[in-house]
Amino acid sequence: MKQYLLAVIEPSVGEPPAPAELQKIMERVAEFERSAKEAGVWVFSGGLHPPSSATTLRPKGDDVLVTDGPFVEGKEHLGGFTIVQCEDLDAALEWGRRCAEATTLPIEVRPFR
């Protein structure tokens, strides 16, 4: 079976959901993860802090430059991810659909190497 990355794409601008709505989203995400585990497709998952917490390391000649934050600011960023193990892309897309419904956010599905 192949592994697939389900990448949660978060907006970089705007207000986060209100606490009551965020609680509902987190409950749906927990149910999604529980379902994936029960189905035997869940490998691991995690959430990320905002891009402002990042440190970027960039090779330059014989040195590596260290900078705070992302190199390029964008309208969206990677907010978290889940790795699933599925028979094929169609099955991974179905889990991606369920993840999008749970998070209310776009989900990018890619084969994981």
Side-chain angles (χ1 to χ4, degrees):
M1 280 206 275
K2 293 183 179 179
Q3 292 184 342
Y4 295 87
L5 168 73
L6 308 182
V8 180
I9 308 302
E10 290 185 354
S12 295
V13 295
E15 295 297 316
E21 180 60 24
L22 185 58
Q23 178 63 33
K24 291 177 187 176
I25 291 169
M26 295 312 295
E27 288 170 4
R28 290 192 305 265
V29 169
E31 177 56 33
F32 163 77
E33 191 170 293
R34 201 170 17 261
S35 295
K37 286 178 179 178
E38 288 174 2
V41 301
W42 184 86
V43 178
F44 68 94
S45 62
L48 300 171
H49 289 274
S52 60
S53 68
T55 302
T56 300
L57 305 169
R58 186 170 306 283
K60 182 151 182 143
D62 292 336
D63 200 7
V64 175
L65 302 177
V66 179
T67 58
D68 291 334
F71 182 70
V72 176
E73 292 193 23
K75 294 179 183 179
E76 299 175 321
H77 63 271
L78 179 63
F81 61 91
T82 297
I83 303 296
V84 292
Q85 189 164 300
C86 299
E87 288 292 328
D88 55 29
L89 178 59
D90 288 337
L93 290 173
E94 175 59 24
W95 283 102
R97 183 191 63 76
R98 293 173 72 175
C99 188
E101 289 173 345
T103 63
T104 70
L105 294 168
I107 302 298
E108 181 181 311
V109 178
R110 283 197 218 180
F112 190 73
R113 296 190 243 199

